[in-house]
Amino acid sequence: MNVRLPEKFFVPLRRKINFFTYVSMEYNFRDIEKKWHQRWVAMQTYKVTEDETRQKFYVLNMFPYPSGAGLHVGHPLGYIASDIYARYKRLQGFNVLNPMGYDAYGLPAEQYAIKTGQHPEKTTFANIDRYREQLDKIGFSFDWSREVRTCAPNYYKWTQWAFQKMFNSFYSLTPLTPSPVGEGENLSKARPIEELIAYFKNNGTDGLENYGVAQSTELTFTAEEWNSWDEKKQSDVLMNYRLAFMGETMVNWCPALGTVLANDEVVNGVSERGGYPVEQKKMRQWCLRVSAYSQRLLDGLETIDWSESIKETQKNWIGRSEGAEVLIKVADSDVDFTIFTTRADTMFGVTFFVLAPESELVDKVTTPDQREAVDAYIKYVKGRTERERMIDHTVTGVFSGAYGINPITGDKCPIYVAEYVLAGYGTGAIMAVPAHDSRDYAFAKHFDLPIIPLVEGADVSEESYDAKEGIVMNSPVSPDKSVMYDGECLVLNGKTIKEAIAETKRFVKAHHLGRVKVNYRLRDAIFSRQRYWGEPFPVYYKHGIPQMIPEECLPIELPQVDKFLPTETGEPPLGNATKWAWDEKNKKIVENSLIDDENVFPIELYTMPGFAGSSAYYLRYMDPLNDEALVSEKAASYWQNVDLYVGGSEHATGHLIYSRFWNKFLFDLGVSKKEEPFQKLINQGMIQGWSSFVYRLRGTNKFVSFDLLEEQYDDAKKKNLYFYQGTEADPVYADISMVSGNVLDVEKIRQWTAEFRDAEFILNKNGQYIVSQAIEKMSKSKYNVVNPDDICENYGADTLRLYEMFLGPIEQSKPWDVAGIDGCFRFLKKFWNMFRPTPDPSRDGGESLRVDVTDEAPTPAELKALHKLIKKVTEDIEAFSYNTSIPAFMIATNELSSLKCTKRAVLEPMVVLIAPFAPHIAEELWEALGHTTSVCDAQWPVFNEKFLVEDTVKMMVAFNGKTRFGIDFPADADNATIEAAARNHELTPKYLEGKQIMKVIIVPKRMINLVIK
RNA sequence: GCCCAGAUGGUGGAAUUGGUAGACACGAGGGACUUAAAAUCCCUUGGCCAGUGAUGGCCGUACGGGUUCGAUUCCCGUUCCGGGCACCA
């Protein structure tokens, strides 16, 4: 009987046959990944050495702070991206350095130590071990033999060393002594402090202004004075010039953390870590003269391949402004002061002057009858926190009683003291032009001071005219209102503002009324912290004078203490150390009790800030074990600088500025070989977690948020709602039953707390109340950390790597969502099955696999699929567009699978192409293809255009831009043929609608547009 | 307030930089296989309208204009979201 069975009947049958003939191995990612992790270690696959015969490529990730929460899925995003690039470069024949290490000093470990008494080193090392374990699972090509930890003595030896070098350097635009200068050498650089000391011995400060010496304040003294001073006084004076110096400066003091903070560690007036209030306080602190490098930091931005937004942020932070400094004499007094302005053209509109409350000038100019009022005001200002000052911009100020003389008009104008003028910028004194500066305007209105408009057509009755556009008038109001200098007076009327600025600058300079000046907003970095867990300073105090511990004695190791809090006398935690004194004679650290000895002195109690250790770590990776130098000449010359740096954009004004500064200093010393440390920078976006539910309370701007909290209850994980308003203190717990999925039981919420009785909830399409879930940074405190280990366990590292790249453009931030991960997993299975690997009885007793491939020549279709992929993937990797290369792999795999391709010439390059993305599966298949070396050492396939050439092209025909149909043409069809075909196509009359073809536009190989009318 | 980046289906996102908008993936719906589930495979999937159907038409890249034969792409204006700076003279 011949019964025709439906097609579906054959499917299981066929599957069975396959099963018996092939026993095609399943994609067993767990075994594969474990095997290759072991193999890579055993074979030292990722060990790198300097190799002059090959071109170097240096890939670097911003090293992580090993936090207690472990690695979350956001961390690997950047690491995977850089790993793909590193592996790709290696396949192209480059000698790739791809190291990893730990930024191991930090506040959380110290705070944990304070709470538990556990030494921060212990928790830090435990966290590092955990990080390492997690990183190893993902299959990165890191050369772990080069690992650095900032808290390791053999590492921070060089942090201390660099600090000492900065201490012993000053900065000037030109050398102080005429010296032979090499071709193209940077004249503006750090120089040994001895050069400056020699200068002082001979000249004092006479003529120093000609060399552009970077300094805290402008000092004047003679050679005699210098030579007559004792060691202490000379030391104090030199602090004004050293690149690392002890300075009495206003600092961001955070009482809750018991330490000072750098500007970039303060966000919106509170500490970046912990969100504690920060106040301004004058303290003696170590500082780095970062400002000396302002111009070079700015210029360098033009030479590096960073995103515009990061460059812009750095430009803002450096804040260059060109202007003029003008000397103002105080009437009826011999006191004078200097103001800084970028609007020199507005000298005729000055109606008052303003001093910063912190300026020492305030004391000098205040008249006796205003003394009380000024003192009261100063007291008020001091009582205000940084945060209050930032939020509250109401006009405050007080008249000093004195008058300043405008050198251009000769007018006497009142001098005020007001907090809107900052002591730290410019000279701490300004000339106020209310007509053309909104801040001066508000002040003038408040104190009822005159407002003189200086720009034609500018209406200043309601607000100031701040724009730098227009024609100048009232400058002077009348000819006798401009003071004569050497027979010349300033006249600006009729000029454009730009011209007027230039003319005023010239006038001021020519008649010695002031000088042209460039100011930078960039401040010197405060370099000491009152903490335990940081690099100790290699400094001791001899009769109050800071002395460097000799270089050969470095590192000065962090002393043991029994508690990590400040001492009872308020000294930093290092004050708890009992063995923390320097024996100068025997060159060693000794017990504090010996300080009475004439050769024994106390050691610095401050420690260095977080950015100290992270500023030059990329140099150390080049030569991590070197005991003689930070980096050997040979290693530095070979590796030069980082070619590709990957990390978060949140470091734009911190690490990325400090690092550039630090590197420029080391470049001046000849240690670093490139002026810029990081040639190309990629900022990976943040992978955020889902957390807060946010509501607005009706009729208010008050927002209330929930956090989802996972807690362990009776061995079962239960999600609970954690409620807080603005602060995390005193949380109120709610019941999870209020939320099911993302639908909210509003009545329950309303009953739960009075806060929500009037809450306005959002309705979705179905009329249900929904919660809008905020997307936030993943952090332990938000309980929204997604751990990569689970993904590796369930899908494998290759799937994780693929999926993280597939998620979207690398630079974009996005919330973590596992929903799509199956797609990548399925793809890898498909990719695997395309090779049909089977156990190979001839090797390892059948444990290894083999792939049945033929050496037959591939068909054109197979070659086309392959070469399309080579082209796409190569271009995408170069452009860091990994999210588009993964679809290309999917497409090629689908094409080749349906072509049932078994050609070695096609499948083998496929394995190499996927190796950077999914290294484990690639290694396994590479081995199964019969190779005995790692796929890492294969060669990147070369794209050949000729396999992509189409003999026919489909061109779309459009009428007035509306695409209607397509026509196939031979690839070499000429325009006349194409046009004729379009005109004569059977569908053309339908779209002509009786109109005339006015014009024909042919875009080669793409489209034909018929313009009709 | 100033500066920078962005807005594309139910979702993540593609689009050779001015030339077929929605690749690829997820989700959803339908089907095959299975006792069943998982896994796998196939089909449909921007919206609306017409048609039994093959198919055809209109609309559509935040909104409103403009340039162009043709605009997600370029220009002007508006709204919204994100980032940076923020009394820096």
Side-chain angles (χ1 to χ4, degrees):
Chain A
M1 202 165 66
N2 199 354
V3 182
R4 225 188 133 81
L5 289 167
E7 169 70 12
K8 63 183 177 186
F9 242 91
F10 289 100
V11 178
L13 211 60
R14 217 182 281 143
R15 203 185 276 162
K16 262 192 175 142
I17 290 165
N18 277 354
F19 185 75
F20 286 116
T21 19
Y22 278 113
V23 199
S24 180
M25 292 298 288
E26 240 178 70
Y27 170 48
N28 187 342
F29 60 87
R30 283 192 194 89
D31 292 349
I32 294 172
E33 292 180 1
K34 201 171 147 202
K35 166 180 164 185
W36 286 99
H37 290 157
Q38 290 167 353
R39 202 72 71 93
W40 287 332
V41 171
M43 301 195 313
Q44 299 200 330
T45 308
Y46 303 121
K47 183 147 177 60
V48 193
T49 48
E50 288 76 58
D51 176 357
E52 296 294 340
T53 64
R54 283 193 297 162
Q55 218 183 325
K56 69 99 188 184
F57 198 90
Y58 188 175
V59 175
L60 184 64
N61 293 286
M62 289 184 186
F63 62 171
Y65 171 75
S67 92
L71 218 57
H72 61 67
V73 288
H75 281 108
L77 186 73
Y79 304 159
I80 295 167
S82 57
D83 194 56
I84 290 170
Y85 205 80
R87 288 173 180 275
Y88 162 73
K89 278 288 178 187
R90 177 166 173 180
L91 288 166
Q92 284 200 322
F94 287 85
N95 189 23
V96 177
L97 176 57
N98 183 22
M100 185 47 104
Y102 304 96
D103 189 12
Y105 278 130
L107 204 50
E110 176 156 338
Q111 296 209 305
Y112 188 74
I114 291 168
K115 248 193 282 178
T116 63
Q118 181 110 258
H119 195 284
E121 186 176 85
K122 207 175 158 191
T123 44
T124 302
F125 283 10
N127 289 347
I128 285 177
D129 290 345
R130 168 109 191 271
Y131 265 57
R132 176 63 191 275
E133 207 180 293
Q134 289 184 296
L135 288 170
D136 281 347
K137 280 187 190 160
I138 304 172
F140 294 115
S141 62
F142 298 135
D143 177 359
W144 283 106
S145 72
R146 291 174 184 261
E147 179 197 289
V148 301
R149 301 177 179 192
T150 54
C151 67
N154 74 347
Y155 178 87
Y156 68 67
K157 172 179 178 176
W158 300 103
T159 311
Q160 293 177 337
W161 173 85
F163 165 79
Q164 291 196 340
K165 290 286 174 196
M166 290 183 196
F167 178 83
N168 286 317
S169 301
F170 77 106
Y171 192 95
S172 67
L173 297 184
T174 55
L176 300 187
T177 47
S179 59
V181 173
E183 186 92 9
E185 194 183 320
N186 210 341
L187 287 179
S188 170
K189 62 189 270 192
R191 301 170 211 281
I193 194 79
E194 287 74 25
E195 289 181 22
L196 189 65
I197 295 172
Y199 189 92
F200 288 157
K201 272 184 185 158
N202 295 324
N203 314 296
T205 53
D206 192 28
L208 197 65
E209 65 274 13
N210 299 324
Y211 302 99
V213 175
Q215 54 196 348
S216 303
T217 54
E218 208 164 314
L219 300 178
T220 314
F221 53 83
T222 63
E224 289 72 38
E225 283 174 306
W226 170 264
N227 294 321
S228 72
W229 287 335
D230 62 11
E231 206 189 331
K232 173 83 173 78
K233 174 74 183 170
Q234 288 187 344
S235 162
D236 287 349
V237 168
L238 286 174
M239 288 298 181
N240 195 49
Y241 305 95
R242 293 182 190 274
L243 286 183
F245 62 99
M246 182 57 109
E248 178 112 6
T249 47
M250 278 296 192
V251 296
N252 304 303
W253 174 254
C254 180
L257 296 175
T259 187
V260 302
L261 297 170
N263 285 337
D264 67 283
E265 292 171 320
V266 182
V267 179
N268 291 329
V270 298
S271 67
E272 188 191 17
R273 283 198 180 266
Y276 301 110
V278 171
E279 55 193 51
Q280 296 304 107
K281 191 174 167 185
K282 207 157 204 177
M283 280 178 81
R284 281 181 67 75
Q285 296 293 335
W286 285 104
C287 303
L288 299 186
R289 205 176 298 284
V290 179
S291 62
Y293 284 83
S294 298
Q295 190 58 49
R296 275 170 67 188
L297 287 168
L298 202 55
D299 294 343
L301 290 175
E302 304 303 319
T303 67
I304 49 183
D305 187 8
W306 292 17
S307 76
E308 279 311 309
S309 65
I310 288 266
K311 285 190 192 182
E312 200 58 38
T313 303
Q314 292 215 342
K315 279 179 198 167
N316 282 339
W317 191 259
I318 296 166
R320 183 184 205 271
S321 60
E322 279 179 52
E325 277 186 1
V326 181
L327 192 74
I328 306 295
K329 291 200 167 74
V330 177
D332 311 317
S333 144
D334 52 3
V335 178
D336 52 33
F337 62 92
T338 308
I339 58 96
F340 175 75
T341 180
T342 55
R343 292 293 302 273
D345 60 306
T346 58
M347 293 287 300
F348 290 98
V350 175
T351 56
F352 57 101
F353 295 99
V354 188
L355 304 179
E358 297 85 0
S359 168
E360 55 260 32
L361 284 163
V362 173
D363 206 39
K364 290 188 196 165
V365 304
T366 304
T367 57
D369 49 324
Q370 283 297 100
R371 176 70 61 185
E372 205 179 313
V374 170
D375 286 349
Y377 182 68
I378 304 269
K379 200 177 162 204
Y380 154 79
V381 171
K382 274 194 180 152
R384 286 186 21 118
T385 64
E386 178 83 339
R387 194 174 168 77
E388 284 169 339
R389 253 177 112 155
M390 280 173 72
I391 295 166
D392 172 26
H393 283 189
T394 49
V395 177
T396 67
V398 65
F399 178 45
S400 70
Y403 291 83
I405 298 166
N406 182 339
I408 301 295
T409 61
D411 287 343
K412 273 167 72 174
C413 301
I415 301 171
Y416 280 79
V417 179
E419 61 179 333
Y420 85 89
V421 174
L422 306 177
Y425 184 74
T427 59
I430 61 151
M431 61 177 212
V433 186
H436 302 292
D437 183 290
S438 52
R439 295 153 303 178
D440 298 345
Y441 188 88
F443 195 85
K445 282 281 180 192
H446 188 265
F447 287 93
D448 204 18
L449 294 156
I451 297 165
I452 308 169
L454 301 173
V455 178
E456 285 179 15
D459 174 16
V460 296
S461 58
E462 290 299 322
E463 56 179 5
S464 62
Y465 178 84
D466 291 16
K468 279 190 178 182
E469 284 158 22
I471 303 299
V472 176
M473 64 172 190
N474 286 344
S475 307
V477 180
S478 60
D480 64 319
K481 270 296 184 187
S482 187
V483 178
M484 282 281 186
Y485 290 94
D486 306 325
E488 190 192 12
C489 66
L490 186 64
V491 178
L492 303 174
N493 289 332
K495 290 186 196 300
T496 64
I497 289 178
K498 235 178 154 182
E499 291 163 352
I501 291 173
E503 169 61 7
T504 312
K505 279 185 184 169
R506 183 201 65 78
F507 187 86
V508 164
K509 205 175 161 189
H511 303 293
H512 309 290
L513 306 174
R515 59 176 169 168
V516 173
K517 179 80 196 286
V518 177
N519 262 334
Y520 300 91
R521 194 152 59 202
L522 185 67
R523 309 288 166 83
D524 291 331
I526 293 166
F527 196 61
S528 39
R529 297 290 183 272
Q530 292 66 38
R531 289 193 205 145
Y532 173 73
W533 192 229
E535 299 87 349
F537 280 87
V539 174
Y540 63 99
Y541 288 91
K542 188 177 179 180
H543 313 305
I545 303 169
Q547 307 282 341
M548 294 297 117
I549 287 172
E551 193 179 316
E552 66 270 22
C553 302
L554 301 184
I556 296 303
E557 294 197 26
L558 190 62
Q560 291 303 317
V561 293
D562 49 13
K563 62 188 183 99
F564 306 100
L565 283 166
T567 65
E568 273 150 32
T569 54
E571 283 181 325
L574 287 193
N576 292 314
T578 52
K579 192 181 174 187
W580 197 234
W582 182 250
D583 183 335
E584 196 177 50
K585 197 169 157 198
N586 299 307
K587 294 190 176 178
K588 60 176 193 179
I589 295 174
V590 295
E591 304 290 331
N592 293 3
S593 54
L594 298 171
I595 284 178
D596 291 337
D597 187 296
E598 60 172 325
N599 293 315
V600 178
F601 305 100
I603 303 178
E604 177 65 88
L605 299 180
Y606 291 158
T607 53
M608 297 185 193
F611 70 84
S614 59
S615 285
Y617 72 112
Y618 52 90
L619 288 171
R620 191 61 182 165
Y621 281 134
M622 298 174 182
D623 196 7
L625 300 174
N626 194 333
D627 238 2
E628 305 298 312
L630 165 60
V631 51
S632 71
E633 178 68 23
K634 185 178 162 239
S637 301
Y638 182 72
W639 296 111
Q640 297 274 316
N641 63 353
V642 177
D643 295 283
L644 173 67
Y645 196 34
V646 179
S649 57
E650 66 272 19
H651 299 106
T653 54
H655 164 64
L656 288 172
I657 288 261
Y658 296 128
S659 231
R660 292 182 61 221
F661 155 76
W662 201 288
N663 185 71
K664 279 172 195 295
F665 172 72
L666 293 175
F667 175 76
D668 289 352
L669 254 51
V671 174
S672 174
K673 300 300 167 190
K674 282 276 175 77
E675 167 120 33
E676 286 292 337
F678 314 118
Q679 197 53 45
K680 181 172 177 67
L681 175 70
I682 294 280
N683 299 116
Q684 95 273 17
M686 216 167 4
I687 291 200
Q688 297 134 319
W690 296 95
S691 60
S692 301
F693 305 90
V694 181
Y695 308 93
R696 192 172 69 240
L697 295 186
R698 186 179 306 177
T700 67
N701 278 331
K702 200 168 171 187
F703 283 83
V704 176
S705 57
F706 294 99
D707 272 3
L708 205 53
L709 177 67
E710 254 183 33
E711 283 186 4
Q712 205 77 26
Y713 289 110
D714 306 328
D715 295 328
K717 266 192 183 167
K718 184 179 165 189
K719 281 182 177 173
N720 211 338
L721 273 177
Y722 169 49
F723 160 66
Y724 68 91
Q725 265 175 282
T727 151
E728 288 178 38
D730 196 23
V732 183
Y733 288 88
D735 196 275
I736 185 62
S737 59
M738 289 178 193
V739 174
S740 123
N742 67 338
V743 179
L744 198 67
D745 189 333
V746 171
E747 281 318 306
K748 278 195 178 165
I749 298 260
R750 289 200 168 121
Q751 285 160 20
W752 171 54
T753 165
E755 281 301 331
F756 287 104
R757 211 157 291 146
D758 296 321
E760 179 185 36
F761 297 99
I762 303 157
L763 286 170
N764 70 4
K765 274 186 202 161
N766 304 327
Q768 294 166 308
Y769 290 101
I770 57 155
V771 288
S772 59
Q773 214 174 6
I775 307 162
E776 289 180 295
K777 189 174 167 177
M778 281 194 186
S779 84
K780 200 182 176 186
S781 64
K782 298 206 188 306
Y783 304 96
N784 63 350
V785 173
V786 182
N787 183 296
D789 301 3
D790 302 341
I791 311 284
C792 287
E793 183 53 37
N794 296 328
Y795 295 94
D798 284 338
T799 300
L800 173 74
R801 292 170 63 106
L802 236 43
Y803 183 59
E804 290 219 6
M805 294 302 102
F806 183 68
L807 225 43
I810 189 77
E811 303 200 284
Q812 204 164 294
S813 288
K814 51 233 149 186
W816 177 255
D817 182 7
V818 247
I821 203 162
D822 281 320
C824 289
F825 187 54
R826 277 178 211 148
F827 158 70
L828 281 180
K829 277 193 278 189
K830 249 188 233 174
F831 189 85
W832 176 262
N833 290 331
M834 179 169 71
F835 289 82
R836 297 165 299 125
T838 54
D840 182 358
S842 69
R843 277 197 297 183
D844 304 339
E847 262 184 50
S848 289
L849 300 181
R850 59 195 279 267
V851 174
D852 234 345
V853 287
T854 66
D855 289 324
E856 278 172 60
T859 64
E862 289 166 346
L863 283 170
K864 190 175 153 190
L866 172 66
H867 282 262
K868 217 164 63 183
L869 182 66
I870 297 173
K871 182 174 197 277
K872 180 77 180 144
V873 172
T874 308
E875 284 171 1
D876 281 352
I877 293 180
E878 293 287 353
F880 301 95
S881 173
Y882 303 142
N883 60 317
T884 53
S885 34
I886 290 160
F889 277 114
M890 294 173 172
I891 292 166
T893 304
N894 285 340
E895 281 175 1
L896 291 173
S897 295
S898 56
L899 289 169
K900 301 205 172 9
C901 176
T902 55
K903 319 284 165 56
R904 177 179 288 273
V906 173
L907 295 180
E908 210 167 79
M910 289 284 287
V911 173
V912 180
L913 287 172
I914 208 164
F917 296 86
H920 308 89
I921 196 175
E923 288 280 25
E924 187 68 10
L925 290 171
W926 189 248
E927 189 191 51
L929 281 161
H931 295 277
T932 52
T933 55
S934 167
V935 71
C936 296
D937 294 315
Q939 270 206 334
W940 190 252
V942 178
F943 161 66
N944 191 335
E945 184 79 54
K946 83 176 177 201
F947 298 119
L948 295 196
V949 179
E950 307 266 1
D951 20 342
T952 61
V953 284
K954 187 177 194 180
M955 291 180 70
M956 301 311 292
V957 180
F959 294 82
N960 283 349
K962 270 193 200 302
T963 310
R964 294 303 182 180
F965 54 86
I967 310 176
D968 288 327
F969 289 103
D972 54 358
D974 59 34
N975 283 358
T977 316
I978 291 166
E979 183 175 336
R983 281 179 183 272
N984 301 327
H985 194 271
E986 52 173 351
L987 288 169
T988 299
K990 178 182 165 193
Y991 296 106
L992 272 182
E993 294 163 356
K995 291 175 185 163
Q996 292 299 308
I997 297 173
M998 308 298 289
K999 198 175 164 188
V1000 178
I1001 290 154
I1002 296 174
V1003 183
K1005 297 190 201 267
R1006 284 200 190 283
M1007 75 172 318
I1008 309 140
N1009 190 14
L1010 303 174
V1011 185
I1012 58 173
K1013 203 176 164 186

